[in-house]
Each structure stands twice: as C-alpha cells, then as structure tokens.
C-alpha cells in the first residue's frame, strides 16, 4: 500500500478566500483561546514524548437561527461513534484530543450517561450513608472507572466542547494547526456529524424570531381585533389545513464551505486525515465515498449506512480495493467467519437486536494499521529528500 501523501503547495486562492471570508464573518466561540491553550499544552506534551495523537471529532453541530439563540437546526447524532472510537484509540496507545458536541456522549461515561436506565438506577446506598454500585453492575463499572482514571491521570485524554457549526470549524482549524509539529504522527479522525447548511450572521435575527405579530402591536394604536385576528392562526395545535404565508417561517440557508481541502493542504498538511460518509441509499455509498476522496485528496473515507452502521463500514482509500469491515451476523466477534461480501448487507438479514460487539473495536485497529504505514511512507520520503 502506498498511502496518499499531502501536497506541498498551499490551498488554492479560491479555498483561501472562502476560508478568510467565513472565519472573519462568523465570530469564534468565547472560549476558543482557553481551548487552544489547553490543546497546545496537550499536543506539546505528547509531541515531546514522540507519541501518536489523534483528534477525534464527535457529535452533531447546531445551526443557530438567531444571534441570541433560542431556535436552531440540529441532527440526530449523539456522538456514539466518536466516543466509542476514542476509547479504542486509547487502548491502542494513542493520546486522544476529543472535540465533542457539548452534552453528547463522552468516552467511558457513555456506558451510563445515555443508558435506558437512569444513572441513579446503577447505584444504591451502602454502609454508613455511602453510595456504591449495585452488585450486578459493580464489576463493569469498576473496569470502566479504572480505564477512565488511567487515561486522565496519565494525561492521555483531553476533552473540549463545541455547540454550533461555527464553533466547530473555529476549534477544528485551531487544533489542526497546532498539530503540525506532530507531523505524520498526528491523526485526524473526523467523526462529527457536520451541518451542510447555515444562516450567515448578516441574515440572522438578533433576538428570538416571533411567531405572532404581538410585538409589532407595541408601536400601533390599540384597536379591536377582527374575527380572523382573534383566531390563533399560528397555534401549533390548529387543525386548519392551510396557514397564511405571512404566518410561516421560511429559513434561507447557505451551504457551509467545504474546508476539508484546506485541512489537507494547509491546516495539517502532514497529518493523516480520516473522514466519514453516512448515507441512507446503499447504491450510492461507495460512489460518494470515492467522490469525497478524489475531491479532497485525503487518506481514508469510512463509509457507513444509517441502517447498518453498527454492523459494517467500508474503508475507501487511495490505490486500494474497498475493504468491508463488519461484525459477524451472530453479533459476536468470535462467531464463525462469514463469507466475504463486497457490497452492503441487507438490513433485513440482520438480527433485530444490536450486536454484542462494538464495530469500533474492529475499525480502530484497522485505522491504526493504515496510520503505521502512512508514518513509514512519510518518514521514507524525508530520508530520500
């Protein structure tokens, strides 16, 4: 395998202009400088140790509709892929910088924070007013706690939050640029569900968008409302099949600039970059993954389908055949090996219950193997130079 190596040239003028415009027009999050200081110290610590470091992005990004945000557009991502992957990267010896959507799943606490049962259901009162885990949960909880404490005590895990699409892009750019000293030992694993559209600040309402014209009435002379005005036309519980256009909320969104090329060519030119492609149509999954790879010239696209994402993914990388990675249909890694299949599984063929094994336990070793080859290739090029 000969992994794709980055271009030495800076991003194109068009990409640079789009970058300058976006980041000048969209203000950074208030904690950006604080986060960059934490990231810088974390990266320098592991760079001096010669250790591999991975930036894992996780969770969805919001699209605010107002500057003082009350309403926003969101997606379904809870950050499961990112949080789970972070744990397996730590097991593989990586330092992990975990950039996540605030309140989404976190490494280790994910086992309990979004469980069907309330976290308090795993606990009981012990002797002398102490709080202890239930007997049936104590073993697993102790194992998770030990792994978490080891990661934090050894400074192997740094957790930083974001909320909006603008927050995410500011944080991503800053961290990627800080990772330059790592060279090829830096890995960017972009598992966040990033919004494709946003509302530019100049078109964004300063205050909460009003659902009625009550505010406008402040500046008008009171008058007796007409029969039609007395009706709550905009009432969410109104069963009327038609709503006047004047009462509708029409949102005009712009496409979010695609900064993956900037990331590859400018922000982190020697780091290995892994992106994800989620689709719902199996017919276009591999095509879209290859299109992304060709367009941005990075190193690996991991394609997955919404309906089977916990059972299988496909690795699409330069100069290599597509590689399907999947949990055996019995749900356990030690089940009998199934026949090779170079196309998506039929969701109807899968068991109703979720697999007992986590597919990230297969994804991360495979990514780490590719990363090892990438490092060797880059080091070989430097020796030749």
């Amino acid at each position: 395998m000969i992994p794709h190596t980055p271009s030495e040239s800076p991003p194109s003028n068009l990409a640079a202009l789009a970058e300058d415009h976006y980041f000048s027009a969209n203000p950074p999050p208030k904690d950006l400088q604080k986060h960059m200081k934490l990231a810088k110290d974390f990266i320098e610590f592991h760079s001096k140790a010669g250790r591999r470091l991975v930036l894992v992005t996780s969770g969805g990004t919001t699209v605010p509709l107002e500057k003082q945000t009350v309403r926003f557009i969101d997606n379904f991502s809870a950050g499961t892929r990112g949080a789970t992957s972070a744990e397996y990267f730590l097991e593989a010896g990586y330092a992990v910088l975990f950039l996540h959507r605030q309140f989404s799943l976190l490494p280790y606490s994910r086992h309990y924070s979004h469980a069907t049962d309330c976290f308090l259901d795993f606990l009981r009162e012990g002797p002398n007013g102490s709080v202890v885990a239930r007997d049936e949960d104590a073993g697993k909880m102790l194992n998770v706690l030990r792994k978490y404490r080891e990661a934090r005590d050894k400074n192997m895990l740094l957790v930083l939050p974001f909320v909006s699409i603008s927050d995410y892009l500011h944080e991503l750019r800053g961290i990627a640029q800080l990772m330059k000293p790592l060279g090829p030992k830096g890995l960017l694993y972009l598992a966040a569900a990033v919004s494709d559209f946003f509302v530019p600040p100049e078109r964004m309402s300063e205050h909460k968008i009003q659902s009625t014209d009550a505010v406008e009435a402040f500046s008008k002379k009171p008058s007796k409302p007409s029969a039609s005005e007395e009706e709550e036309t905009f009432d969410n519980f109104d069963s009327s099949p038609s709503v006047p256009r004047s009462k509708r909320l029409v949102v005009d969104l712009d496409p979010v600039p695609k900064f993956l090329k900037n990331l590859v060519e400018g922000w982190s030119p020697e780091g290995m970059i892994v992106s994800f492609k989620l689709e719902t149509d199996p017919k276009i999954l591999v095509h879209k993954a290859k299109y992304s790879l060709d367009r941005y010239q990075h190193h690996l696209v991991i394609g997955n389908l919404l309906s089977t994402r916990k059972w299988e993914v496909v690795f699409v990388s330069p100069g290599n055949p597509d590689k399907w990675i999947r949990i055996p249909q019995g749900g356990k890694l030690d089940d009998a090996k199934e026949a090779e299949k170079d196309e998506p599984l039929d969701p109807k063929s899968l068991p109703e219950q979720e697999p007992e094994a986590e597919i990230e336990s297969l994804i991360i070793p495979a990514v780490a193997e590719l990363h090892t080859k990438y490092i060797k290739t880059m080091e070989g090029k430097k020796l030749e130079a």
Side-chain angles (χ1 to χ4, degrees), residues 71 210-213 228-244 246-249:
R71 298 182 176 90
Q210 298 299 314
S211 60
T212 71
D213 58 3
S228 61
E229 289 175 331
E230 286 183 328
E231 296 177 2
E232 278 293 334
T233 312
F234 201 80
D235 190 339
N236 289 332
F237 299 98
D238 186 3
S239 59
S240 173
S242 62
V243 177
S246 61
K247 298 293 185 180
R248 299 175 190 169
L249 175 62

Side-chain angles (χ1 to χ4, degrees), residues 27-34 167:
K30 61 182 179 63
D31 289 329
L32 181 63
Q33 293 306 314
K34 174 185 174 183
D167 295 348

Side-chain angles (χ1 to χ4, degrees), residues 57-75:
T57 68
S58 182
T61 58
T62 67
V63 177
L65 300 184
E66 305 120 342
K67 292 180 180 178
Q68 298 188 49
T69 307
V70 174
R71 298 182 176 90
F72 56 84
I73 301 171
D74 204 354
N75 60 53

Side-chain angles (χ1 to χ4, degrees), residues 261-323:
K261 194 170 187 62
N262 303 62
L263 179 61
V264 172
E265 296 183 352
W267 301 354
S268 187
E270 289 190 344
M272 178 175 164
I273 298 170
V274 179
S275 71
F276 279 79
K277 179 61 66 175
L278 175 70
E279 296 292 342
T280 58
D281 184 351
K283 296 177 182 177
I284 66 172
L285 175 63
V286 173
H287 170 75
K288 290 292 292 290
K290 289 182 177 179
Y291 175 81
S292 179
L293 196 70
D294 292 341
R295 182 178 182 184
Y296 301 113
Q297 294 294 295
H298 55 304
H299 310 99
L300 173 64
V301 178
I302 301 179
N304 54 156
L305 291 168
L306 181 64
S307 58
T308 60
R309 67 190 185 282
K310 295 182 180 180
W311 290 90
E312 68 174 358
V313 299
V314 59
F315 278 26
V316 179
S317 58
N320 294 290
D322 304 335
K323 179 180 179 182

Side-chain angles (χ1 to χ4, degrees), residues 253-265:
L253 302 174
D254 281 4
V256 174
K258 300 296 186 182
F259 290 121
L260 189 51
K261 194 170 187 62
N262 303 62
L263 179 61
V264 172
E265 296 183 352

